[in-house]
Amino acid sequence: MKDLKHIHYFESLLQEANNELVKEAVNKGGIPLGYTCYFVPEILLNVGKAFSVRLRAPNTGSLDLSTYYLTNFLCGYSKAILERGIEGGYNFLGALIGSETCAEMNRAIEHFELLNLIKNENFFVAILDAPIKISQHGIEYYSKQLRRKLLKPLNENYGIDTSDTAIRKAVEMHNEISLIMNHISEFRKEDNPKITGTEFHILCLIVSSCPKELIIDKLRETLEEIKVREKDEDYKYRARVAIVGSEIDDYKFTELVEVSGALVVVDRYCFGSFPGMELIELRDGEDIVETIVRHYFETSQCPRFMSKDKVEGRREYVQQLVKEFNADGVIYQALKFCEFWGYEKPLASHVLTNEYNIPTVTIDKNYTLDSAGQIRTRLQAFVESLEIKRINKS
Amino acid sequence: MIGLGDLRQPGTGLFKHREWRGINDTLYDYWRWLINWKDLNVFIAKAPVKTIKSIFRYRWMTSYLATHAFIDRSTSGLRGTSLRVAHLHYNMIVKHLTYLLHVSFTEDSKVVLLDELIPPQIIGGFPNLIPVPAQAAPIFVASMVDQQLPPHYIDVIEYYGVPSDVCPLPACEAGIAIEDDYPKIGKCMITTNMPCDGSIMTSAYQDRRFQLPTFPLNIPLRYDEDWTEDFTIKELEDCIAFIEEHTGEKFDLDAFKETCESYNQQTKYELEKWEINKTKYPQVTGANIWLYRLYYFQGAAGTDKRFIEVDKKVSKLIARAYQNKEKNTKDLRYRAVIWSCPANYYTDFPLWLENCWGISGLIDMETVSSTEIIDTSSKKSMLAGLAKTYQRATMRKHTNGGYKHALDELWEKVEEFNVDLVVMYDQISCKAMDGLHAIFEEQAKDRDIKMIWVEQDLMDYRTTSRQAMRDQVNKYMFTVMQATPLDESLLEFDDSNSW
């Protein structure tokens, strides 16, 4: 297929966290707020003149400094974020919002405070404490934290409008972008999709890493382009796969899967679209922050949730995505040293394979794709097995 | 002169014969040895068939055959009051643990399973129910008695696909579930997010084994923040309602109050020990303080009044010893705080520090769990007190909820106990503590505090053996402190094949 018009521009934006659009927004008076986890409701970081930047550390090289602080037993993502912070790569941030969702990222974010990394007197670090199940008192507890640890200091330190009206506006923007992304995602269900997994991953990363207002027009344009995009009729993928697992903020991983002969038709990982692109419905009379919190809790597929409905729901959700997007198999991947996905991956893979009859493969990977050769070999073997299954079936 | 290391058999590290401690102490030690045998025999006699069968059914049950070896190595070198306190403590643990095992094999209908990190006060409100910490007997205590046990379950879970870098305690817990080695008992189960990420995840594996109605008790991490209390109280109320629903029992406020008061009494006795340890004449130190504290805080917490009787006796003994300026160890050369998570496979390591180098652990991280005195004036005040207690439970109090809990509290204890050095466990698989490694070092340097790092892997001696742990201290003491050991025979001995 012909390259999408903006795809190379999008790729260029992903080469650094403080990209051209972030700089442009800052020049216009915007306050960039960094975050790393789905438990931090992105919408609340996009109120008034604030805008969210889901932190990535593209082109990570040495992790020596962060390894000194966090040892070599913590996950590469946490360390890359801290390393980039020490290098000064996040000096543009107005605040860093974390959630003690996992101990590793929590420690990485705490170091921004401990080492006083960002020299901006208004800069603050807020760390939230997310519940492990959904309950009304849990939603109220989390909402209270968001108001006091996030919205209040945003208003006090930067004069940001955190009123319900501003939040409503942020929800509208979220819904508008989600509609576009959902529409694009639908094309992935086709037999010979008009968009590859790699391209879609790039779009997801753009949505989370760039100021929404500055990127939405190009997303609209991309959607229109895809609608009329001519398919590559002789494009032959060998299997359709879903990628499930922990954080992936490097589209090169998806590219690696596709180079191995598979087509990634659906994703369920942090920085992906499931969850993340669901619309939020606001009702009059409801506390707006609580509605948003409920949305994030209900859509979250994080293995940190402990209640049975969530634990079993995570596997059912993957099963449902596999059916909906007609995937032949699932790649469960986890960042090395990720405690949550280290447990979730083998058990979920066992359940999917043995109880739902969905072929799966599990992969451990570093934050940087430095073991790409080994992963490719494993993926190629998996793709081959899926292909053989399909041939045998037919 | 014959040292304590000379008593050990090469290879297994087991004692060749009982230690000579002088007439009085040797006789006392032997008498206590017999009492422990008596308690084990009573336990077997109460349900002989079921108990003997359990030894063949559950791999971990065979580890308890080494109970006496565990107590012997945990009392090695002790004399006078320290020896008596240690025996009182360990015997109470034997009594309570055998009770839990008996219940596990015979009392299915009355049991509420708890995650072992939930102190059982809440079940004190249900006098007809018995709280059983699900993982305590199968792995937590068993791994302390027998270092050879956990590697099997670790291998099981790693073979299943869980990576080897995760904390080996929850890994073992999941391994037992995969191996189908938990007694399947109870009307319902309370799980929790305490203390850490690994514990959260291992619950999913255990759920598949227990197949019980389960309530995940959500304990907030950031307990310094005032808004956590209301949330936790609501969680506790929901938990009580859940237990009522699934057991048919009603929450009895008077029984709950009694449990809380009993727990408060224990806490007061605990604080007495700490106060004495702050003086020139500490009395309950090293392994002696933390093992008992950990056990009663997590395992009994006011639900078994026999602990109070032990505490009363210990209180009298140490008060007298303090007045008499009795030494807790042969030669107290260094006052120490022992910090971070200890190794289950080497629980008597602090005792080795005392015997070999004269380093007395006056306080440690596991001991410094909640000291909240629960206000028993109303249901609300009791639940509020329990909420505070749970948020400050073992490990959870320090490893989560902000770096200050682990970092600042260490420096506070250094001041309070007027210590010479810090022995810092480097539990390599604990991500929360790993994440503060360099900050600990930097701040110790800034405060001019000597810090000995002792790498270990909590449950897996294959990563860092007991001798490898000792070697790290030996090197530091020889090179940095320029010290000479109290007992050279303890510098190096092979106990890698020991229980």
Side-chain angles (χ1 to χ4, degrees):
Chain A
M1 287 181 289
K2 194 178 161 192
D3 282 352
L4 291 169
K5 183 181 166 191
H6 297 300
I7 203 75
H8 298 297
Y9 172 64
F10 290 155
E11 278 185 80
S12 73
L13 291 175
L14 294 176
Q15 298 315 304
E16 59 177 316
N18 190 11
N19 61 44
E20 181 185 319
L21 293 184
V22 170
K23 284 176 186 158
E24 188 184 328
V26 171
N27 287 338
K28 287 178 181 168
I31 306 294
L33 306 177
Y35 76 109
T36 57
C37 177
Y38 189 73
F39 273 101
V40 178
E42 188 196 67
I43 288 162
L44 296 178
L45 309 185
N46 285 298
V47 290
K49 60 183 176 180
F51 68 92
S52 63
V53 181
R54 193 160 181 172
L55 292 187
R56 302 165 57 246
N59 302 312
T60 286
S62 155
L63 290 174
D64 286 355
L65 279 168
S66 55
T67 301
Y68 164 69
Y69 282 106
L70 302 178
T71 76
N72 46 9
F73 293 102
L74 266 62
C75 87
Y77 180 46
S78 312
K79 291 204 291 187
I81 294 296
L82 178 58
E83 186 85 20
R84 188 59 51 91
I86 294 171
E87 290 164 354
Y90 302 129
N91 285 349
F92 65 95
L93 290 178
L96 177 54
I97 319 300
S99 164
E100 197 166 347
T101 316
C102 72
E104 304 178 44
M105 184 52 80
N106 176 52
R107 289 294 185 229
I109 289 176
E110 283 181 341
H111 275 75
F112 280 76
E113 192 177 286
L114 276 162
L115 303 175
N116 190 23
L117 291 182
I118 295 180
K119 310 281 187 274
N120 162 4
E121 59 180 24
N122 289 322
F123 176 81
F124 66 93
V125 173
I127 300 181
L128 305 161
D129 177 6
I132 44 109
K133 62 186 176 190
I134 303 174
S135 63
Q136 182 53 36
H137 60 279
I139 289 167
E140 286 166 13
Y141 171 66
Y142 205 59
S143 303
K144 204 181 280 182
Q145 291 182 61
L146 285 163
R147 287 191 188 281
R148 281 168 65 172
K149 291 182 181 178
L150 171 66
L151 297 178
K152 192 166 174 251
L154 280 183
N155 183 263
E156 286 174 357
N157 293 16
Y158 294 105
I160 290 168
D161 178 7
T162 57
S163 63
D164 285 5
T165 314
I167 296 173
R168 276 182 187 279
K169 209 175 154 199
V171 171
E172 280 166 23
M173 175 58 85
H174 165 88
N175 285 347
E176 206 175 335
I177 288 187
S178 296
L179 276 173
I180 297 170
M181 291 300 289
N182 286 336
H183 201 145
I184 295 174
S185 179
E186 283 297 303
F187 292 111
R188 299 193 291 173
K189 292 179 179 171
E190 294 174 356
D191 275 348
N192 184 5
K194 287 180 177 178
I195 183 165
T196 66
T198 307
E199 288 167 337
F200 190 77
H201 195 175
I202 291 171
L203 296 181
C204 288
L205 292 172
I206 285 295
V207 169
S208 58
S209 319
C210 297
K212 308 279 182 277
E213 283 176 10
L214 298 182
I215 203 70
I216 190 165
D217 287 343
K218 289 197 168 56
L219 289 174
R220 272 196 209 105
E221 212 178 316
T222 303
L223 169 61
E224 294 309 315
E225 192 187 347
I226 293 171
K227 281 180 188 171
V228 296
R229 195 180 195 190
E230 281 185 29
K231 288 181 187 175
D232 203 350
E233 293 302 339
D234 56 358
Y235 173 63
K236 292 275 187 288
Y237 55 84
R238 296 165 64 191
R240 297 166 67 93
V241 296
I243 301 181
V244 179
S246 63
E247 192 270 357
I248 313 177
D249 69 26
D250 186 354
Y251 61 89
K252 293 282 179 194
F253 178 74
T254 307
E255 196 171 74
L256 180 67
V257 176
E258 299 199 319
V259 165
S260 305
L263 180 72
V264 179
V265 290
V266 64
D267 57 272
R268 218 282 348 106
Y269 49 77
C270 310
F271 279 93
S273 60
F274 292 106
M277 306 294 177
E278 296 80 1
L279 303 188
I280 299 180
E281 195 183 336
L282 297 178
R283 292 190 194 93
D284 290 335
E286 280 182 356
D287 183 294
I288 193 163
V289 176
E290 283 184 21
T291 306
I292 289 167
V293 167
R294 184 181 293 281
H295 168 84
Y296 277 89
F297 283 3
E298 284 176 352
T299 54
S300 173
Q301 296 293 320
C302 181
R304 188 177 181 274
F305 276 109
M306 282 185 82
S307 52
K308 275 188 182 171
D309 57 322
K310 276 288 200 181
V311 172
E312 284 159 14
R314 290 199 287 273
R315 295 154 202 161
E316 286 160 10
Y317 186 70
V318 174
Q319 182 193 33
Q320 179 199 322
L321 288 177
V322 164
K323 274 187 192 161
E324 215 174 299
F325 286 80
N326 194 22
D328 301 310
V330 176
I331 298 168
Y332 266 98
Q333 68 78 35
L335 278 176
K336 276 186 182 171
F337 303 108
C338 176
E339 199 90 357
F340 285 116
W341 282 96
Y343 279 97
E344 177 74 0
K345 177 172 59 89
L347 185 54
S349 156
H350 171 84
V351 171
L352 256 73
T353 307
N354 297 304
E355 295 172 22
Y356 297 171
N357 290 319
I358 297 170
T360 61
V361 67
T362 63
I363 285 169
D364 280 320
K365 69 178 197 58
N366 286 330
Y367 179 66
T368 53
L369 271 179
D370 52 9
S371 51
Q374 291 151 302
I375 294 174
R376 188 187 294 119
T377 306
R378 192 161 167 77
L379 290 172
Q380 283 168 340
F382 181 58
V383 169
E384 200 172 304
S385 76
L386 292 177
E387 198 175 30
I388 290 168
K389 275 193 182 90
R390 205 180 53 235
I391 291 167
N392 287 343
K393 225 187 234 178
S394 61
Chain B
M1 188 184 159
I2 294 174
L4 288 170
D6 298 321
L7 282 182
R8 299 191 179 242
Q9 288 176 6
T12 63
L14 300 175
F15 292 107
K16 293 174 189 166
H17 54 78
R18 300 199 68 72
E19 184 187 343
W20 177 251
R21 306 170 195 250
I23 290 176
N24 283 347
D25 286 349
T26 303
L27 283 176
Y28 178 81
D29 181 56
Y30 189 64
W31 176 55
R32 278 286 161 191
W33 184 79
L34 290 173
I35 287 179
N36 287 326
W37 268 121
K38 183 260 299 174
D39 287 330
L40 287 175
N41 286 328
V42 167
F43 155 60
I44 295 167
K46 277 200 276 186
V49 177
K50 284 183 176 172
T51 307
I52 301 292
K53 273 170 87 175
S54 71
I55 294 174
F56 294 99
R57 169 64 183 83
Y58 304 112
R59 172 182 288 266
W60 47 266
M61 264 301 279
T62 53
S63 291
Y64 288 113
L65 297 174
T67 300
H68 279 77
F70 166 74
I71 295 174
D72 284 348
R73 68 170 184 263
S74 304
T75 51
S76 173
L78 296 181
R79 302 283 187 275
T81 301
S82 295
L83 178 70
R84 281 153 182 77
V85 170
H87 269 306
L88 286 168
H89 281 173
Y90 296 133
N91 178 250
M92 188 57 231
I93 293 174
V94 168
K95 281 190 166 80
H96 190 262
L97 190 76
T98 48
Y99 162 72
L100 285 183
L101 288 170
H102 177 71
V103 164
S104 300
F105 304 142
T106 59
E107 296 278 1
D108 184 21
S109 61
K110 291 181 184 172
V111 167
V112 174
L113 277 185
L114 298 178
D115 184 285
E116 65 182 348
L117 264 297
I118 303 173
Q121 291 98 331
I122 195 161
I123 311 296
F126 296 94
N128 297 325
L129 298 176
I130 304 170
V132 173
Q135 308 88 353
I139 192 63
F140 196 82
V141 181
S143 68
M144 293 173 160
V145 174
D146 177 11
Q147 65 168 342
Q148 309 292 344
L149 177 70
H152 172 76
Y153 294 120
I154 292 169
D155 290 349
V156 167
I157 200 64
E158 286 181 11
Y159 182 73
Y160 191 78
V162 171
S164 56
D165 60 82
V166 300
C167 173
L169 173 56
C172 281
E173 293 172 1
I176 295 175
I178 295 291
E179 183 108 320
D180 198 9
D181 240 2
Y182 281 113
K184 203 170 174 186
I185 51 169
K187 302 283 263 185
C188 57
M189 182 165 186
I190 315 297
T191 57
T192 184
N193 58 332
M194 292 192 287
C196 60
D197 302 347
S199 304
I200 289 177
M201 291 312 294
T202 191
S203 298
Y205 286 73
Q206 291 168 63
D207 268 356
R208 284 170 69 84
R209 160 66 187 148
F210 290 122
Q211 294 288 323
L212 287 171
T214 301
F215 181 86
L217 180 63
N218 190 163
I219 302 298
L221 306 168
R222 305 222 145 223
Y223 57 77
D224 300 324
E225 293 161 1
D226 54 10
W227 54 69
T228 60
E229 189 173 301
D230 289 344
F231 173 78
T232 320
I233 290 173
K234 184 74 180 81
E235 274 296 297
L236 292 171
E237 286 170 348
D238 285 358
C239 182
I240 289 167
F242 171 85
I243 295 168
E244 286 181 337
E245 184 191 338
H246 291 281
T247 62
E249 294 288 332
K250 280 281 157 214
F251 189 69
D252 179 339
L253 199 57
D254 292 334
F256 181 53
K257 184 178 177 182
E258 207 178 312
T259 305
C260 290
E261 283 171 351
S262 178
Y263 167 75
N264 284 345
Q265 193 61 39
Q266 279 199 278
T267 305
K268 286 172 188 165
Y269 282 126
E270 183 67 34
L271 292 173
E272 271 181 26
K273 291 177 192 167
W274 298 9
E275 283 308 309
I276 290 180
N277 279 6
K278 288 176 187 172
T279 70
K280 272 186 180 177
Y281 304 101
Q283 294 300 326
V284 190
T285 56
N288 205 348
I289 189 165
W290 83 266
L291 275 173
Y292 181 70
R293 165 70 164 163
L294 176 72
Y295 189 90
Y296 83 71
F297 185 87
Q298 293 297 151
T303 57
D304 186 338
K305 287 189 178 151
R306 290 176 298 173
F307 282 89
I308 297 283
E309 294 307 312
V310 168
D311 290 339
K312 264 185 205 164
K313 284 181 193 166
V314 168
S315 174
K316 275 185 193 163
L317 281 171
I318 60 174
R320 193 170 57 205
Y322 171 71
Q323 278 166 2
N324 295 338
K325 299 184 177 175
E326 194 179 318
K327 283 181 178 178
N328 67 316
T329 182
K330 191 174 163 190
D331 185 1
L332 196 167
R333 290 182 177 176
Y334 306 96
R335 299 169 63 87
V337 171
I338 302 178
W339 211 243
S340 195
C341 325
N344 274 33
Y345 61 86
Y346 199 4
T347 51
D348 53 318
F349 174 70
L351 191 57
W352 174 83
L353 288 172
E354 282 185 345
N355 289 331
C356 186
W357 289 102
I359 301 170
S360 238
L362 307 175
I363 197 77
D364 57 87
M365 196 177 91
E366 300 301 66
T367 298
V368 188
S369 43
S370 177
T371 51
E372 177 75 19
I373 299 294
I374 298 172
D375 174 0
T376 55
S377 57
S378 68
K379 184 181 178 184
K380 198 181 172 198
S381 71
M382 283 191 274
L383 289 180
L386 193 60
K388 282 185 179 147
T389 305
Y390 280 8
Q391 289 177 78
R392 292 156 179 82
T394 312
M395 287 195 277
R396 157 54 66 89
K397 184 179 183 215
H398 301 99
T399 55
N400 297 86
Y403 60 86
K404 288 178 182 166
H405 297 156
L407 200 62
D408 294 7
E409 188 158 351
L410 169 60
W411 311 133
E412 283 166 22
K413 294 292 168 254
V414 164
E415 291 282 317
E416 280 174 35
F417 286 80
N418 187 27
V419 305
D420 306 302
L421 53 86
V422 173
V423 178
M424 191 76 181
Y425 285 120
D426 180 8
Q427 204 278 81
I428 56 171
S429 310
C430 179
K431 310 284 198 289
M433 295 306 280
D434 285 341
L436 289 173
H437 192 109
I439 296 290
F440 272 118
E441 297 221 45
E442 286 182 359
Q443 294 198 0
K445 186 171 112 325
D446 293 345
R447 290 161 192 262
D448 200 19
I449 293 169
K450 296 270 188 293
M451 186 178 268
I452 311 178
W453 284 86
V454 183
E455 184 190 291
Q456 45 91 359
D457 198 12
L458 189 69
M459 309 287 273
D460 196 346
Y461 74 91
R462 297 169 301 183
T463 315
T464 309
S465 68
R466 290 173 178 172
Q467 183 56 47
M469 288 171 67
R470 294 191 285 267
D471 284 342
Q472 294 169 71
V473 178
N474 293 343
K475 277 181 192 160
Y476 190 94
M477 295 306 288
F478 279 124
T479 56
V480 180
M481 304 298 284
Q482 302 277 305
T484 49
L486 274 178
D487 183 346
E488 278 192 22
S489 70
L490 286 172
L491 288 175
E492 197 171 337
F493 56 93
D494 183 8
D495 54 354
S496 54
N497 292 325
S498 171
W499 290 307

